[in-house]
Amino acid sequence: MNQLSDEQQQERLDDWTQKLTGLYIAQDMPQVDYMRVKERDPKLELVTLPEDAQAVEDTPWLFVVDGKKYVKPSLLPFDGFRHIRPGRPITRDLRRDRINLYSEDDGQITKIAFF
């Protein structure tokens, strides 16, 4: 990704904050990895989307299941993502091209950041 100016970075943050805040993060890793994470973090509750779940038209990362909106992070147009939950440690490596999704334990996105 090309280096963005601070103004462009803020516009991108504002745009994606509007798109993602309030949505839920879908479980987006192989089931065996998710179970390993759940062992370490039993409070984590992410929904695994049904295999036949269809993305919303023109939004390949957005899914609606039983009236609830879910985002599949691996399909977002960024160079990586990080799911950050309350009380969980994070690394200090700074990457302005990576989206950080802050959520409650139930996976509802409360904030995003790029770093």
Side-chain angles (χ1 to χ4, degrees):
M1 173 177 271
N2 294 333
Q3 185 67 25
L4 299 176
S5 69
D6 289 343
E7 183 177 312
Q8 291 169 318
Q9 186 75 358
Q10 186 61 49
E11 287 174 7
R12 180 171 76 155
L13 176 62
D14 292 344
D15 180 45
W16 282 98
T17 295
Q18 182 178 3
K19 289 177 182 176
L20 298 176
T21 301
L23 301 182
Y24 289 84
I25 298 172
Q27 192 284 104
D28 196 15
M29 62 183 90
Q31 192 65 27
V32 66
D33 293 339
Y34 180 62
M35 296 313 294
R36 208 172 299 134
V37 170
K38 283 281 295 174
E39 286 176 12
R40 291 190 313 260
D41 189 2
K43 289 184 180 179
L44 178 64
E45 290 298 330
L46 298 181
V47 169
T48 300
L49 296 176
E51 287 188 28
D52 62 347
Q54 297 291 314
V56 173
E57 188 175 333
D58 298 328
T59 314
W61 47 265
L62 179 64
F63 296 79
V64 178
V65 177
D66 296 330
K68 209 171 190 181
K69 294 181 180 178
Y70 294 92
V71 60
K72 223 173 168 185
S74 65
L75 299 178
L76 291 170
F78 302 105
D79 187 20
F81 71 92
R82 192 161 48 170
H83 181 190
I84 302 170
R85 295 178 317 282
R88 302 300 301 168
I90 60 171
T91 60
R92 292 180 162 225
D93 59 319
L94 301 178
R95 292 180 31 209
R96 288 177 59 138
D97 56 340
R98 173 180 55 202
I99 191 168
N100 295 275
L101 304 170
Y102 291 80
S103 80
E104 298 299 327
D105 288 328
D106 66 358
Q108 186 173 27
I109 299 170
T110 57
K111 174 183 165 184
I112 73 159
F114 292 94
F115 63 84

